Amino acid sequence: MSLRLPLLFGLALIGLALDPSLALGQDAPVIDSGATAWMLTSTSLVLLMTPGLAMFYGGLVRTRNVLGTMMHAFAAMAIVGVLWAVCGYAMAFGPNVLGGWFGWDSNLVLLGGLENSVVGSDDSLVPEYVFAMFQGKFAIITPALIAGAFAERVKFLGFCVFVALWSLLVYNPLCHWVWAGDGFFYARGAIDFAGGTVVHISSGISALVAALYLGARKGYPGTAMHPNNLTMTLIGAGLLWVGWFGFNAGSAVSSGESSAHALTVTQIAASAGALSWLILEGIRHGKATSLGLASGIIAGLVVITPAADVVTPGGAIVLGALASLVSYGAIQLKTVFGYDDSLDVFGIHGCAGIFGALALTFFIRESWVTANTGEGWSVMSQFGVQAGAVGATLVYAGLATLVLVVLIEKTIGLRMSEDEQGAGMDHALHREHGYGLLNPN
């Protein structure tokens, strides 16, 4: 018995050292294990989307460019994965600096200060490490999307530099504007649940600007440039569809009604987009195609991204169906104007993203309006807020991208030479061959 009190006292001192809040009588935050488990799962699902994108894009290019195209997505995983940990999270979610252009918190550099930190609502707290990694996957896939616009004609080193600079100067500020508590768009009530402006509109307009500046591929449009492996493209589309559940439902940062609603409308919109594209092709061409099916899936997923927590299931059907019409029409205009957006990044991500960010206003569910708006709110006032966010994103991302591609092209080079394009990215840039074929297309 003589050792019992000293032992208990020693254990108490150890406890205070490990958690000083005990000395102040404070309750340590209780992490919601269910929400945390869902966010860990969502983070993995969003990361899966980037290899899915690599397969989607890789199947659409010619055989001699398949590895080089897929490497763009994986290179973004490496480059942005490091930058996000070093300073990206601090720029995106730190307090306003330089008038709110971006955020900054030196404590968040190298993810410092996140240990024992939690985020979320009081009844649904998750470790901030998980939230930081979840957001980091969005930062990875966004510049990877842009690569589809200048596929088959961009140098690997130039692309890597572009990804790094675009991530720092375009993505991180936009992320701060939309999702940080003191961001421009967030403060004005702009609705972008999972990345309509931050991800799809920014990557779409950037893709268009880069494609216009770099010019068309060698031989375009006179030379036929058929996809090398539509089977792989369909698998990539399937992986994107599955991953998108984490993309949208995970953006609730909880495991409850909001995440359930987001998951539901995501499934509905993707299905509606796919069906709409199939019907459109059937009417116009008398047959449906696998590429059309994949395009409709992506259009439906893109359009519901900003709206996933706010629209009704019926609204998701309308948005998904109309997104395919919008994207289909935008792709036809590419032929009219003669520019070479190789894999239709602007036509699908840019145009469906713009349409979704604006059209969601007319399908907001009443329960969301009641819970999240006050006096003076109206559909048209919200539409004006949405239009302002869309317009600002188009202007900022477009101009910043133009500066970056000009700078990189004039210094280290971004566009491949005609001879390099003829040999193909795989051989000319990487000395590899995706399929080991002697005469690739």
Side-chain angles (χ1 to χ4, degrees), residues 224-305:
M225 300 181 182
H226 299 298
N228 82 90
N229 193 336
L230 285 175
T231 302
M232 187 162 70
T233 294
L234 281 178
I235 295 173
L239 290 174
L240 286 168
W241 191 337
V242 172
W244 226 290
F245 291 126
F247 199 83
N248 285 356
S251 293
V253 196
S254 65
S255 179
E257 180 66 28
S258 180
S259 56
H261 186 91
L263 184 146
T264 299
V265 297
T266 299
Q267 170 64 26
I268 293 171
S271 301
L275 182 60
S276 176
W277 204 295
L278 290 176
I279 293 173
L280 181 59
E281 284 190 330
I283 293 173
R284 286 182 56 86
H285 307 296
K287 60 183 177 182
T289 66
S290 60
L291 180 56
L293 174 64
S295 300
I297 290 170
I298 304 304
L301 291 168
V302 169
V303 77
I304 202 63
T305 295

Side-chain angles (χ1 to χ4, degrees), residues 72 142-151 153-155 158-159 162-163 166 170 201-217 339-343 345-346 394 397-409 414-416:
H72 290 158
T142 306
L145 289 170
I146 301 172
F150 43 57
R153 62 190 185 279
V154 66
K155 294 182 177 180
F159 173 77
F162 172 79
V163 166
W166 195 91
V170 180
I201 297 176
S202 68
S203 63
I205 188 62
S206 297
L208 178 62
V209 169
L212 289 173
Y213 177 76
L214 291 176
R217 288 166 287 181
Y339 66 90
D340 186 14
D341 176 359
S342 305
L343 308 182
V345 181
F346 178 72
L394 290 170
L399 290 178
T401 299
L402 179 60
V403 171
L404 291 179
V405 294
V406 171
L407 177 64
I408 296 170
E409 173 65 10
L414 187 58
R415 181 183 169 91
M416 296 170 61

